[in-house]
Amino acid sequence: MVRYKTIFENNLKWVRDMKARDVDFFEKLARDQTPDYLYIGCSDSRVPANEIMGLEPGEVFVHRNIANLVNNTDLNVLSVINYAIVHLKVKHIVVCGHYNCGGVKAAMVPKDMGILNPWLRNIRDVYRMHHTELDAIKDEEQRYNRLVELNVLEQATNVIKTANVQKSYRANGYPVVHGWVFDLHTGVLIDLNINFESILRNIQSIYDLTGITSEHTEDGDI
Ligand code: CO
């Protein structure tokens, strides 16, 4: 176990190291933040956003929760997305999952997990949406890995469903939404190369929130 006191010794060493590289580092850091990236990832301690992306403080806006979920009624993640787009004007939004994700694993087990049930339900829903593909995979490890990837795809799609993304992309051409998986066994970040434009077009037949094609609500129907 790392001793409690060690954390603060580590911190002072880090301060010295950063100042050795740039004497004004913290002065500049305190001034403002202008990150181009919003990273939405898992809370897992083995997947630290800045380190795996090789980015410095100030370069990535971060939101993490169990199994990197983007839940439609989670005011926390929705506030982060809103702030990142409207105020920080990020150019890229990344949903990053990881193999060996405990949250995804728990959702594959039919078991009452108490307070975690509603959270894990989101992942069980992803399983239900893709159960034909998943059930066809006989190897459990491979099925688990595929669910990690499909969960990233669905959560990235949830990001694209937000009015903030749709309106900003129409007006500015950004942000673009990406889906990644971090492989704990190799340390390699895998770009799932999701087709942002195509997903946006597909979901807008139902989830268009840009306010441009709102004829169907103009007759007063809710
Ligand atoms: Co995880």
Side-chain angles (χ1 to χ4, degrees):
M1 194 192 106
V2 177
R3 284 165 60 245
Y4 185 77
K5 228 181 102 191
T6 306
I7 301 290
F8 292 88
E9 292 163 5
N10 289 348
N11 170 254
L12 291 179
K13 183 183 178 303
W14 176 72
V15 169
R16 279 195 302 274
D17 290 348
M18 297 310 272
K19 281 184 171 173
R21 278 166 49 188
D22 178 358
V23 73
D24 297 325
F25 181 80
F26 292 101
E27 280 301 314
K28 290 177 193 162
L29 202 60
R31 242 172 258 155
D32 203 3
Q33 63 164 337
T34 54
D36 289 325
Y37 289 84
L38 163 61
Y39 169 100
I40 299 169
C42 185
S43 296
D44 194 303
S45 62
R46 299 165 296 178
V47 193
N50 283 69
E51 278 92 333
I52 63 171
M53 296 170 80
L55 296 180
E56 298 287 341
E59 291 184 320
V60 56
F61 199 59
V62 173
H63 179 81
R64 292 169 69 178
N65 61 38
I66 294 175
N68 40 273
L69 298 182
V70 178
N71 185 318
N72 185 43
T73 55
D74 176 7
L75 200 51
N76 190 344
V77 71
L78 295 179
S79 300
V80 167
I81 291 170
N82 177 274
Y83 190 80
I85 293 174
V86 176
H87 300 279
L88 298 175
K89 303 186 190 322
V90 296
K91 306 302 180 288
H92 301 272
I93 299 179
V94 173
V95 174
C96 183
H98 66 102
Y99 298 133
N100 302 79
C101 182
V104 173
K105 186 110 191 165
M108 284 177 73
V109 181
K111 186 183 167 197
D112 180 359
M113 296 289 284
I115 193 73
L116 282 174
N117 286 339
W119 196 254
L120 297 178
R121 237 292 295 281
N122 295 290
I123 312 169
R124 295 192 210 278
D125 288 343
V126 173
Y127 199 110
R128 180 178 52 80
M129 280 186 264
H130 298 276
H131 75 95
T132 311
E133 176 185 347
L134 287 163
D135 289 343
I137 304 171
K138 293 299 162 220
D139 182 80
E140 199 181 329
E141 190 72 20
Q142 282 177 20
R143 194 163 68 242
Y144 174 25
N145 287 348
R146 185 60 186 144
L147 181 55
V148 166
E149 294 169 0
L150 290 169
N151 183 47
V152 166
L153 171 67
E154 291 300 335
Q155 305 314 319
T157 304
N158 287 342
V159 175
I160 300 170
K161 286 174 191 164
T162 63
N164 286 139
V165 168
Q166 294 181 34
K167 287 182 174 172
S168 175
Y169 188 73
R170 182 181 280 270
N172 311 308
Y174 61 79
V176 173
V177 178
H178 309 271
W180 298 351
V181 175
F182 179 68
D183 187 343
L184 284 170
H185 290 286
T186 61
V188 172
L189 208 45
I190 301 156
D191 189 344
L192 295 178
N193 289 314
I194 64 168
N195 191 329
F196 170 72
E197 286 271 358
S198 156
I199 296 172
L200 181 65
R201 267 196 310 276
N202 284 339
I203 62 140
Q204 278 185 331
S205 64
I206 298 170
Y207 300 90
D208 188 351
L209 302 180
T210 55
I212 308 293
T213 53
S214 57
E215 304 87 61
H216 55 293
T217 59
E218 277 172 6
D219 57 1
D221 289 347
I222 297 171

